[in-house]
Amino acid sequence: MPVRVFITQPIPEPGPSIVAGCAERVEHNREDRVLPVEELRAKVEGCDAVLCLLTDRVDASVLEAAKGCRIFANMAVGYNNVDVAAATRLGIMVTNTPGVLTEATADLTWTLILGIARRVVEGDQEMRNGRFPGWGPLYMLGGDVTGRTLGLIGPGRIAVAVAERAVGFRMPILYTGRRPSPALDALGARMVPLDELLSSSDFVSLHTPLNAETRHLIDARALTLMKPTAYLINTARGPVVDEAALVDALRAGRIAGAGLDVYEDEPRMAPGLAECSNALLLPHLGSATHATRAAMSRMAAENLCAALRGQRPPNLVNPEV
Ligand code: DGY
C-alpha cells in the first residue's frame, strides 16, 4: 500500500518537499481556508500521517476517522487544537514545533509592549488622518518602558527570550511558574506568586500554554489586581484571558491598556474590543516571519517523516503512545 499523507492547509517550503520525499501519495489542500471538522474527517481517513495547523480542530472524531494513522504533526508550538488524550488512546503520535518560533514571538511581544505603551498605532493614525496639531506638552502621552517592572506568566522559552530583551531596558523582571526557571533566574528575574506579579508589574506578559488550568487565568479578578497604569500583553493563546472582562477593564480604565496578538475565539474578537483605543490588536502574527514559518514547516515535516520511517519523532508531545 502506498504511504498516504494529508497536509491540511497551504504551508511554505520546505515542508511539502520533505514530505514528498518520504511518502508516495501526498494530498495537499491548497485552498486558503480551514476545513470544517466534517471535511477534515473525510480527508484524514486512510492516511498514514497528517500535517496540520493550529487552526485545524483535531478532535476525537477526527482522530477516530484517522484510525491507523501514525502521526498528526502540528505546525505550531501550541497543540491545544489537538485532543492529545484521544490521540494517545488511539495510538497516534502528536508532535509540535518548539524552539524555532521563540525569537520571532519574543520580538512581536516587544512590538506590543513598545507599541501600546508609546501609542504607536494611534500616533500613526493621527498622522494619516491629518489630526497632528503640532508638538504639544500634553499631546499623546504614554507609559514608560525603561526601568519599569515586567511580569512574565509562564516561564518557558518565549518568556526567557522576552526577558533577555528586557535586560536592555533595565527592567526588574518577575515571573510565575510551577518551578523556578534557572534561565530566568540567571537574568536576575524573581519568581513570585501570581497575585504579587499582577499587583507589582507594569507590563504583564502571558507565555503559558492553553490548558484547563490556564483558561481564563486572567479574569475580572486578576485584572482588578493589576495597577491602573499597567499593560496586559498576550502572545500566547486567547482563551488564557477572559476577553469580555478585559473589554470591561479597558473601557473603565482599570488598566492602562492591552497589546494582543491572540483572541478567545479567533478570528473573531469580543464585542467592544475593536472600539478600545487603549488596545493594540494584531492578527496572530507571533511566528509570522518568512524564516520562522519555513523553519516550522521543516520541523513539522521532519517529525512526520521520522514517524513514517518508524523512528521516534524529535518533538513528540505524547511519548506514552
Ligand atoms: C504557535 O506555534 O503555537 C503559534 O501560536 C503560531 O504563531
Side-chain angles (χ1 to χ4, degrees), residues 54 76-78 101 237 284 287 293 296:
L54 64 92
V77 65
L101 48 81
R237 282 291 182 265
H284 205 148
S287 65
R293 287 286 161 83
M296 292 165 72

Side-chain angles (χ1 to χ4, degrees), residues 243 263 265-274 281:
E243 214 167 273
Y263 304 87
D265 185 22
E266 290 179 19
R268 286 171 284 275
M269 274 192 286
L273 188 52
L281 307 170

